[in-house]
Amino acid sequence: VSDAVNSQHEIGMDLEGDEDSLRISVGSSLEDVEKRLIFATLESKQGDKKGAAEQLGVSVKTLYNKLKSYGE
């Protein structure tokens, strides 16, 4: 078994330049990863939902629906 399988890994996702990144642990649920990515992107865009949706590659309506599902 390779070291990649035996050790915990984190995947860095570059959102916009070197200072904005999100660390994701292998084994995280897709729902958790998606939620963390959405909130990190919103933070990097200073709450601009249109800009965040564009960066995420989704419609503004989809972003609002995701936020609603998170209770936001």
Side-chain angles (χ1 to χ4, degrees):
V1 180
S2 73
D3 288 341
V5 174
N6 286 330
S7 62
Q8 276 193 327
H9 289 286
E10 290 188 347
I11 301 168
M13 301 180 79
D14 190 12
L15 297 178
E16 191 175 284
D18 293 330
E19 63 230 22
D20 292 329
S21 63
L22 178 65
R23 304 299 286 171
I24 308 274
S25 295
V26 170
S28 297
S29 71
L30 287 175
E31 182 179 8
D32 184 52
V33 171
E34 179 181 73
K35 183 177 180 178
R36 290 180 61 202
L37 182 59
I38 287 170
F39 283 108
T41 303
L42 278 167
E43 186 176 321
S44 78
K45 294 293 186 181
Q46 293 82 41
D48 175 18
K49 291 178 178 71
K50 183 178 181 202
E54 288 174 2
Q55 185 168 8
L56 290 165
V58 299
S59 69
V60 174
K61 181 175 178 158
T62 295
L63 180 58
Y64 273 98
N65 288 339
K66 290 289 184 183
L67 293 171
K68 184 178 178 183
S69 76
Y70 305 143
E72 296 294 319

